[in-house]
Amino acid sequence: MTENPLLEVENLEKHYPITEGLLRRQVGTVRAVDGVTFEVRPGEAFGLVGESGCGKSTTAHSLLRLEEPTGGDVLFDGEDVLACDTDELRRFRRRAQLVLQDPNSAFNPRQTVGDAVAEPLRVHGLDDAETRRRVVDDALERVGLDGADADSYPHEFSGGEKQRISIARALVLNPDLIVADEPVSALDGRTKADVLDLLDDLQDEFGLSVLLISHDIDMVRRFCDRIGVMYLGQIVEQGPTADVIENPLHPYTQMLISSVPSLDPHASSAVVETPSDELPDASDVPSGCRFHPRCPAIIPPADVTLSREQWLDVVSLRFYLEDDWADARSARQSLPVTPTNGDSPTNSAAEIRAAFDLPATLPDEGVEDAVTGAIDALETDDLEAARQRLAEAITSVCERESPELTDEHASRPVACHRYDPDKPGDRETGIEHSIGGD
Ligand code: ADP
Ligand code: MG
């Protein structure tokens, strides 16, 4: 495609300081958006997808300058949005409109629907009431409502209708881009599909570009031409929708897809083993690849010879010990231990191993030594030593180094060490890295 992109977002960053005390001393940083790059082309629907809290809304607000980004660049039709003065910003805001998730909070209950839809026109200086009324009627009809609805009040409409009214309000200024942040999440099944179909029709009819934001990969799949998958403030993979859905490269994308049974051809093999289920916080992002603590494909050091299950069990033990335990005793006592003999758990080495599905002896001598050493240290209440024993033996490249978004796959940039040609040692370990299959 040679056409210039309508919207270019480059390395966008929005960090929030965490402050404490009267002097508001900064004690930390929330990396809500941490280097996000993508573009939306004219007439295209681009989807940003990822779990709640990964920074989708902050990305939308920052690129529209509803909040000031702390870094990066945003170009709209070639113009530098972050350098806009007030007038330029006003023009930009006419052309790029935001539609929000919750249609109920989007309206003033005492304002008629017509006045609500006309508001952007007034704000942008269209003073003639008759013309406004014509534009409003037209917008209401475009979204499947009636011009006469302009005289009613928001409470007289269903959730789906209210979302149509929101869309009408976004359309009155003839925008080029609609940023729709979870536009149908508050709606039920049938209405959801109707509102999406409406957006789809409008997009075709008026050549609109849409940036669709959703936690629901199936919805993004149905609506978008291309997808960017976000995890903890970063895009980990992007590409044409069909490619990403049919051949997801990043383990996180694979995890999102396998959570939707209708999308995953291997749905029967469902539950994917992961080292940890917890979604980390944007104020405390993991080192290296941010996904590594949850990644079923986390790469072992080159000299480790274990099956993938064994490797993941060892990694689970390691990450379990890395949690915020007060001491070794509380770490041990929180284990789901089944007594191996007698009636009550004794937290013996055998019981600790069993809690992590570890066999009596692991086939890899180095790892086995480290695991034995760690469990011994745990039993003698030396948590730090236990952690160290495991860290020395099995720290993964995924923990040490942050993967760059490669473009080895031309249209499919992906940020995962498994696709990094410079890490052959770690890659060719004979461990089956792919998940969801085999
Ligand atoms: P999403 O839309 O993907 O659910 P958000 O963009 O709303 O995610 O939030 C991303 C992260 O930034 C979350 O961890 C959230 O708690 C944090 N965050 C959002 N807004 C603020 C704020 N004003 N101050 C501090 N942290 C924030
Ligand atoms: Mg959000």
Side-chain angles (χ1 to χ4, degrees):
M1 200 179 282
T2 50
E3 215 170 356
N4 287 332
L6 177 65
L7 174 74
E8 294 164 83
V9 176
E10 262 180 54
N11 262 319
L12 188 70
E13 185 191 285
K14 177 67 181 176
H15 290 178
Y16 298 101
I18 306 171
T19 57
E20 212 176 68
L22 279 178
L23 299 175
R24 302 185 61 76
R25 191 168 56 91
Q26 184 168 349
V27 294
T29 304
V30 179
R31 297 169 177 278
V33 178
D34 206 21
V36 163
T37 299
F38 66 92
E39 60 182 43
V40 184
R41 299 162 189 163
E44 176 186 57
F46 184 84
L48 262 189
V49 67
E51 284 158 294
S52 168
C54 71
K56 303 180 297 296
S57 296
T58 309
T59 300
H61 298 162
S62 303
L63 71 88
L64 291 170
R65 273 187 74 185
L66 300 171
E67 289 184 78
E68 287 301 324
T70 48
D73 288 300
V74 179
L75 298 183
F76 187 77
D77 212 359
E79 282 201 34
D80 184 348
V81 172
L82 303 188
C84 280
D85 62 24
T86 321
D87 281 349
E88 289 163 340
L89 199 55
R90 186 196 283 268
R91 278 198 293 280
F92 166 62
R93 296 236 170 96
R94 276 182 84 132
R95 299 184 60 191
Q97 292 283 324
L98 180 65
V99 173
L100 291 170
Q101 168 176 359
D102 182 6
N104 291 313
S105 61
F107 297 100
N108 174 348
R110 283 184 294 275
Q111 199 177 33
T112 64
V113 162
D115 284 344
V117 174
E119 197 163 279
L121 296 171
R122 261 198 314 272
V123 169
H124 284 274
L126 181 65
D127 293 328
D128 179 47
E130 228 170 275
T131 316
R132 275 205 310 261
R133 178 68 196 226
R134 252 201 333 275
V135 176
V136 167
D137 286 0
D138 181 50
L140 287 173
E141 275 160 29
R142 279 195 205 171
V143 300
L145 295 169
D146 195 299
D149 290 329
D151 298 319
S152 308
Y153 286 85
H155 74 262
E156 298 171 56
F157 296 89
S158 69
E161 286 165 338
K162 270 186 256 188
Q163 198 55 310
R164 286 169 187 271
I165 298 167
S166 297
I167 295 170
R169 180 164 58 183
L171 288 175
V172 289
L173 293 169
N174 258 323
D176 299 299
L177 173 70
I178 295 232
V179 178
D181 188 359
E182 307 273 7
V184 298
S185 301
L187 307 177
D188 53 37
R190 187 64 237 148
T191 323
K192 222 182 237 207
D194 287 346
V195 170
L196 270 189
D197 286 346
L198 167 67
L199 271 177
D200 215 12
D201 292 346
L202 292 170
Q203 198 208 349
D204 286 349
E205 198 176 336
F206 301 101
L208 276 173
S209 300
V210 177
L211 172 58
L212 179 71
I213 290 177
S214 176
H215 66 280
D216 178 350
I217 194 163
D218 191 33
M219 197 188 96
V220 168
R221 172 190 69 86
R222 278 189 271 167
F223 187 78
C224 295
D225 304 303
R226 289 188 307 123
I227 295 182
V229 180
M230 265 188 94
Y231 188 75
L232 281 182
Q234 299 180 327
I235 289 187
V236 295
E237 170 167 10
Q238 62 175 288
T241 301
D243 293 1
V244 173
I245 300 293
E246 279 155 33
N247 181 28
L249 298 177
H250 199 285
Y252 179 60
T253 315
Q254 294 172 356
M255 184 185 279
L256 280 184
I257 289 174
S258 69
S259 70
V260 183
S262 63
L263 290 186
D264 185 8
H266 305 290
S268 56
S269 64
V271 183
V272 180
E273 194 180 350
T274 61
S276 157
D277 299 329
E278 257 171 79
L279 177 62
D281 196 275
S283 64
D284 186 18
V285 298
S287 66
C289 170
R290 291 176 185 192
F291 187 55
H292 85 256
R294 295 171 73 196
C295 184
I298 182 171
I299 300 171
D303 55 358
V304 166
T305 48
L306 294 173
S307 72
R308 178 156 54 99
E309 282 71 21
Q310 290 166 339
W311 161 243
L312 286 178
D313 292 337
V314 174
V315 171
S316 301
L317 169 64
R318 169 155 151 65
F319 290 161
Y320 179 82
L321 296 183
E322 292 289 337
D323 281 349
D324 286 330
W325 303 112
D327 50 35
R329 189 180 303 266
S330 44
R332 263 190 287 129
Q333 286 172 349
S334 302
L335 281 172
V337 164
T338 325
T340 47
N341 50 29
D343 302 326
S344 56
T346 55
N347 290 113
S348 67
E351 286 171 353
I352 295 172
R353 291 184 86 103
F356 290 92
D357 289 331
L358 293 163
T361 314
L362 285 159
D364 184 297
E365 214 174 305
V367 178
E368 173 55 35
D369 278 355
V371 167
T372 310
I375 292 176
D376 285 351
L378 202 59
E379 285 192 294
T380 54
D381 288 333
D382 191 345
L383 182 60
E384 225 16 76
R387 286 172 173 162
Q388 245 170 32
R389 283 296 274 130
L390 289 175
E392 279 159 17
I394 61 162
T395 299
S396 163
V397 63
C398 305
E399 236 179 301
R400 287 194 314 266
E401 293 175 34
S402 174
E404 296 291 321
L405 205 62
T406 63
D407 31 32
E408 191 196 355
H409 299 256
S411 65
R412 297 292 306 285
V414 55
C416 173
H417 288 309
R418 293 184 308 154
Y419 305 98
D420 185 342
D422 296 334
K423 307 229 158 44
D426 283 307
R427 232 169 15 146
E428 293 163 8
T429 50
I431 291 185
E432 180 51 66
H433 292 319
S434 82
I435 58 168
D438 68 337

